[in-house]
């Protein structure tokens, strides 16, 4: 199964927010955490995992080169590199699926033209008539006096 790359995810984030990724990162630093921060975090982790895959794949290719003898000491490095490569692939797959799912659930909404005010669905008189034909009576109110403060006594010795 092919997953979107960090470059594709970055393009989708830029399309969604209508700004370059660098501008979005700068903007997100000045804002409280939100969906943009989460998307940028997913993208960053995805890009790091892709870089890690490249590094570990190249290192593993060096370690298992056909002209090279693999000693017991080097075998430990081969296994460690293969483990790290597998971890990076798992992280990449998880982040790509998550980022893709979040981006698919979001839709860019164009801002309305400020020169044109939105039109109400119904005239205000009709909306008021449709909502409440008769005024409802106010609910009864009951006042409850506050309880006196409870005495705080303990049987434990004081220190």
């Amino acid at each position: 199964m092919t997953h979107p790359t960090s470059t594709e995810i970055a393009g989708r984030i830029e399309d969604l927010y209508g700004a370059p990724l660098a501008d979005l990162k700068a903007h997100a630093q000045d804002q409280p955490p939100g969906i943009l921060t989460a998307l940028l975090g997913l993208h960053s982790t995805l890009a790091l995992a892709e870089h890690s895959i490249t590094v570990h794949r190249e290192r593993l290719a060096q370690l298992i080169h056909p002209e090279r003898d693999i000693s017991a000491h080097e075998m430990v490095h081969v296994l460690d590199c293969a483990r790290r490569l597998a971890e990076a692939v798992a992280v990449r797959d998880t982040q790509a699926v998550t980022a893709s799912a979040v981006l698919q659930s979001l839709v860019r909404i164009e801002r309305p033209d400020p020169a044109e005010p939105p039109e109400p669905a119904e005239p205000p008189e009709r909306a008021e008539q449709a909502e409440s034909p008769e005024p409802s009576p106010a609910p009864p109110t009951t006042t409850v006096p506050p309880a006196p403060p409870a005495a705080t006594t303990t049987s434990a010795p004081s220190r």
Side-chain angles (χ1 to χ4, degrees), residues 76-93:
V76 172
H77 294 290
V78 169
L79 293 173
D80 183 56
C81 190
R83 178 189 57 81
R84 290 175 188 248
L85 178 60
E87 288 174 354
V89 168
V91 169
R92 184 220 36 214
D93 291 350

Side-chain angles (χ1 to χ4, degrees), residues 28-150:
Q29 290 177 351
D30 300 335
Q31 303 297 319
I35 192 69
L36 176 59
T37 305
L39 285 171
L40 293 173
L42 286 169
H43 172 263
S44 176
T45 305
L46 178 59
L48 181 63
E50 288 174 346
H51 176 71
S52 184
I53 288 169
T54 302
V55 168
H56 291 301
R57 186 175 49 219
E58 290 172 359
R59 179 68 178 138
L60 190 57
Q62 291 172 352
L63 290 170
I64 61 170
H65 193 270
E67 296 176 5
R68 186 175 176 171
D69 290 333
I70 300 176
S71 67
H73 174 70
E74 289 176 330
M75 192 60 203
V76 172
H77 294 290
V78 169
L79 293 173
D80 183 56
C81 190
R83 178 189 57 81
R84 290 175 188 248
L85 178 60
E87 288 174 354
V89 168
V91 169
R92 184 220 36 214
D93 291 350
T94 303
Q95 295 298 315
V97 167
T98 304
S100 184
V102 170
L103 286 167
Q104 285 177 354
S105 72
L106 300 174
V107 178
R108 183 173 185 195
I109 299 174
E110 297 296 329
R111 292 185 180 174
D113 187 13
E116 299 176 21
E119 296 182 23
E122 292 184 31
E125 316 79 53
R126 289 186 187 170
E128 290 174 7
Q129 291 173 358
E131 289 176 9
S132 59
E134 296 179 17
S136 59
T141 58
T142 309
T143 57
V144 178

Side-chain angles (χ1 to χ4, degrees), residues 6-26:
S6 62
T7 305
E8 292 169 341
I9 293 295
R12 290 168 66 183
I13 294 171
E14 289 173 345
D15 289 345
L16 180 66
Y17 284 92
L21 203 62
D23 293 347
L24 293 173
K25 287 179 182 178

